[in-house]
Amino acid sequence: MPFAIYMLGLAVFAQGTSEFMLSGLGPDIAADLNVSLSTAGTLTSAFAVGMVVGAPLMAVLSRRWPRRNALLGFLVTFLFVHVVGALTSSFAVLLATRVVGALANAGFLAVALVAATGMVAPDAKGRATSALLGGVTIACVAGVPGGALLGQYWGWRSAFWAVALVSVPAVVAILRSVPAGAPDTAGTGARGELRSLRAPRLLVTLLLAALVNGATFCTFTYLAPLVTNVTGFEESWVPVLLALFGVGSFVGVTVSGRFADVRPVPFLLCGALALLAGWVLFALTAGNPVAAVLLVLVQGALSFGVGSALITQVLYAATGAPTLAGGFATAALNVGAAIGPVGGGLALGAGLGYRSPLWVSALLVASALAVALVRPQAPSGNDTRWSRPQVNSATQRRG
């Protein structure tokens, strides 16, 4: 993999840390800025909404910019708003920085997905995608617990400073090592690209990505009450189990990169079936500490492995609208990250118990499998490569 892809992954690590770190900083922010805890919680919601809305919007706006310029613009904006967030004493200003930061994050990820896959051979998109999304999984392992630790010892503002500082070397590396690229002006224009995104197979793949990611974040969001109230772990074990989930997710995206370019349909089908079985088994054995620890690791790997492979298929399927495809893929992931916790919260609010988010996760994956069974078929009955483009001599020279 080119060095530049790993630097894009470093930026994604900083952005993933920023997205998730507020789960451990909310009480401190509420106390420092003199707002209620529920009001502080809107910072997370604002970021999520900004990601969903911003991904396709920023992709459309940036399609005529050289990719390196777009990446630098989004990342510098992301860095700047974290500096402002670390300095402000106004909750309204902090809320505004979360919205702007989410828009910049969404735009960066949309362009980075295209830039990373454009730096490798046309049949290596899966490996490039896994290297990039590995930044999100490392954020789960180290960034989020690290942000919480910084907040405990030096206050919540230190976590914002840390995100800004981690972004600095990524800015320098992108400036030095990412090819300038050309604007995406070779196609039929934004309207033509949007029309190309209406392909049924592509829409189904986006829906599958949203459902699988919804299942992931449904359980991830409510893992702490599950393992403390059902499994019987002490609260001190929660960061360890969250980090273990992150380790599994890193393994999942790494393995996915090896298989998503070769035979994605068998990989996705087997992975989704194993993922469904895992959520059901977790729900049935959540009271057993050994089973819970093993399944946290395994489900993290399966969730991110399947999710990463689906994003790769979006990029393969939308060669006529690469930047917009990256934007819609980012939006699909964040739609899932929004609907999953809502579904789990509704189940908990209905009094169905702490295991209920696991059953909701199983239901979402089962829904994804049901949708996949009726997805538009490939033109050839023996085509098992989903929407993978053919590699010819011209594309090889460009790669």
Side-chain angles (χ1 to χ4, degrees), residues 100-128:
V100 175
L103 293 173
N105 185 355
F108 182 91
L109 186 55
V111 178
L113 282 167
V114 183
T117 54
M119 294 181 211
V120 298
D123 59 350
K125 292 181 186 290
R127 280 167 285 168

Side-chain angles (χ1 to χ4, degrees), residues 15-16 19-20 44-56 102-103 105-107 109-110 113 133 136 206 209-214 217 311 326-342:
Q15 292 165 356
E19 182 174 5
F20 303 129
T44 300
S45 302
F47 198 96
V49 172
M51 286 289 289
V52 172
V53 174
L103 293 173
N105 185 355
L109 186 55
L113 282 167
L133 296 183
V136 177
L206 289 169
L211 289 170
V212 169
N213 208 45
F217 279 89
I311 295 307
F328 277 85
T330 302
L333 291 178
N334 283 277
V335 167
I339 64 173
V342 170

Side-chain angles (χ1 to χ4, degrees), residues 36-235:
S36 67
L37 185 58
S38 60
T39 300
T42 61
L43 295 171
T44 300
S45 302
F47 198 96
V49 172
M51 286 289 289
V52 172
V53 174
L57 177 62
M58 293 297 104
V60 170
L61 291 178
S62 66
R63 60 181 297 275
R64 292 188 178 275
W65 304 344
R67 286 175 187 162
R68 184 171 62 193
N69 292 356
L71 290 168
L72 286 171
F74 288 132
L75 186 55
V76 169
T77 300
F78 178 83
L79 190 162
F80 175 74
V81 298
H82 279 76
V83 172
V84 174
L87 293 172
T88 187
S89 58
S90 165
F91 180 80
V93 172
L94 183 61
L95 183 65
T97 66
R98 296 305 288 169
V99 174
V100 175
L103 293 173
N105 185 355
F108 182 91
L109 186 55
V111 178
L113 282 167
V114 183
T117 54
M119 294 181 211
V120 298
D123 59 350
K125 292 181 186 290
R127 280 167 285 168
T129 301
S130 68
L132 187 68
L133 296 183
V136 177
T137 67
I138 296 174
C140 294
V141 177
V144 176
L149 194 63
L150 285 173
Q152 289 177 8
Y153 284 95
W154 291 293
W156 65 269
R157 298 174 190 275
S158 65
F160 279 71
W161 282 115
V163 169
L165 288 173
V166 170
S167 301
V168 171
V171 170
V172 175
I174 289 170
L175 188 61
R176 286 175 169 268
S177 59
V178 173
D184 295 327
T185 57
T188 56
R191 291 184 179 180
E193 290 195 13
L194 286 170
R195 282 194 297 270
S196 73
L197 294 178
R198 298 177 189 171
R201 185 182 292 115
L202 178 59
L203 294 176
V204 167
T205 307
L206 289 169
L207 176 58
L208 296 178
L211 289 170
V212 169
N213 208 45
T216 303
F217 279 89
C218 177
T219 293
F220 184 76
T221 301
Y222 301 105
L223 188 62
L226 171 72
V227 298
T228 54
N229 291 283
V230 177
T231 314
F233 283 112
E234 298 291 334
E235 288 189 6

Side-chain angles (χ1 to χ4, degrees), residues 204-215 268-269 272-273 275-276 306 310 360-375 386:
V204 167
T205 307
L206 289 169
L207 176 58
L208 296 178
L211 289 170
V212 169
N213 208 45
L268 285 167
L269 181 59
L273 288 171
L275 185 59
L276 173 59
V306 172
L310 286 168
V360 174
S361 292
L363 178 61
L364 288 170
V365 175
S367 300
L369 281 166
V371 170
L373 289 176
V374 297
R375 78 179 192 275
W386 207 290

